[in-house]
Amino acid sequence: MPKPQLAIFDFCGTLIRFQTADRYVNFCVERLKGNKIVQCRHRLVQMMDKFRIFKIYNRIKPSNNFRKRVILWQLKGLSYRLCNQMAKQYFETELLPAVVSPLIDKLQEHLAQNDRVIILSGGYDIYIHYFAAYFGVEETVSSKIAFKNNVCLGKMDGEDCMKYNKVRAIQSLMTGVTSYCYTDSISDLPLLEIVDNPIVVSKQTPQKWASQRNYKQIIWN
């Protein structure tokens, strides 16, 4: 009897054409031009970018993802209802038009085979769950925005779902299954190394690091 199959899909750059986390925050900031506190924080973030504070900090602590955390801080104090409303708009207007069609086909192929499909992402759960519901994916593991009493705390709830945190989140599910992983990023190498079928997603041309490891690649335009 064949083993059950587990298909793990990265989100940003794999199912969607771009990095989605910071772009969601910027989407919200753009729609909150009348909120003086949000706009003040946004100007501070722009100044930090201008003076290369994020790049300098990243050299000191490259695994801290400082820029992502500061960008998320801009949403502190907003209601969950508002953040969720904007997440739905973000999905409908920004994410859905930017799907990577060959990977959506793969996603639907695994679902049609009744494989266990999981979206595993450093993107934020607040908009990924709209994507998952639309395409019929029941399981997602992602970075979470922290809320308390339905108010955004401007930080993550738990660890950022990146690099080895992805492995820790998913490793217990790999026993007794045939596993697939689809991702565009070398940062997911720890995950690619432990699945049965590592598949790298590449835009237009093969990625050298994936070719060196003889990984199968899906090329999209």
Side-chain angles (χ1 to χ4, degrees):
M1 186 174 180
K3 288 182 181 180
Q5 297 198 137
L6 170 68
I8 302 162
F9 285 83
D10 176 43
F11 192 67
C12 307
T14 299
L15 291 169
I16 299 295
R17 293 170 177 261
F18 52 80
Q19 299 299 308
T20 66
D22 293 350
R23 188 155 167 170
Y24 164 68
V25 177
N26 291 335
F27 180 90
C28 295
V29 169
E30 181 65 24
R31 277 148 187 79
L32 295 168
K33 288 189 179 296
N35 188 313
K36 292 181 180 180
I37 295 175
V38 169
Q39 295 306 318
C40 182
R41 290 175 183 154
H42 183 57
R43 287 192 290 273
L44 178 59
V45 170
Q46 288 179 315
M47 287 180 59
M48 293 175 75
D49 240 344
K50 180 179 179 179
F51 291 104
R52 304 170 66 87
I53 301 298
F54 297 123
K55 290 183 178 180
I56 294 168
Y57 192 94
N58 190 56
R59 290 195 193 103
I60 300 168
K61 292 188 176 182
S63 62
N64 186 263
N65 225 341
F66 178 63
R67 186 177 192 275
K68 182 178 180 181
R69 296 174 187 277
V70 173
I71 286 175
L72 179 57
W73 165 75
Q74 295 174 94
L75 303 187
K76 184 177 180 180
L78 300 181
S79 70
Y80 175 81
R81 180 179 179 182
L82 180 58
C83 291
N84 189 48
Q85 179 185 355
M86 291 189 291
K88 186 173 186 292
Q89 294 170 353
Y90 180 59
F91 163 69
E92 293 169 344
T93 63
E94 300 279 324
L95 300 184
L96 198 52
V99 297
V100 180
S101 296
L103 271 297
I104 296 298
D105 291 343
K106 280 292 180 185
L107 180 78
Q108 293 175 331
E109 181 182 315
H110 281 287
L111 289 170
Q113 294 172 176
N114 293 316
D115 297 339
R116 185 175 185 179
V117 174
I118 298 176
I119 295 173
L120 181 65
S121 176
Y124 295 129
D125 61 328
I126 198 166
Y127 54 79
I128 289 176
H129 83 267
Y130 283 109
F131 178 96
Y134 185 90
F135 287 102
V137 178
E138 295 183 357
E139 295 183 76
T140 65
V141 179
S142 62
S143 299
K144 292 177 169 58
I145 298 175
F147 291 87
K148 184 176 182 180
N149 298 325
N150 290 319
V151 175
C152 180
L153 300 181
K155 62 182 182 180
M156 293 183 209
D157 181 0
E159 296 292 331
D160 195 6
C161 190
M162 298 288 288
K163 300 180 181 178
Y164 283 100
N165 289 334
K166 284 189 174 183
V167 174
R168 284 190 283 270
I170 211 81
Q171 196 165 20
S172 64
L173 305 180
M174 293 187 179
T175 304
V177 300
T178 299
S179 53
Y180 295 77
C181 178
Y182 299 85
T183 181
D184 70 303
S185 179
I186 193 171
S187 69
D188 285 333
L189 192 55
L191 186 58
L192 291 168
E193 289 176 338
I194 65 172
V195 297
D196 300 310
N197 299 281
I199 301 158
V200 175
V201 179
S202 303
K203 182 179 179 180
Q204 296 182 337
T205 57
Q207 298 190 65
K208 186 176 180 180
W209 65 269
S211 299
Q212 289 172 340
R213 291 168 173 81
N214 294 317
Y215 288 160
K216 179 180 177 181
Q217 296 191 60
I218 296 175
I219 313 295
W220 62 274
N221 294 308

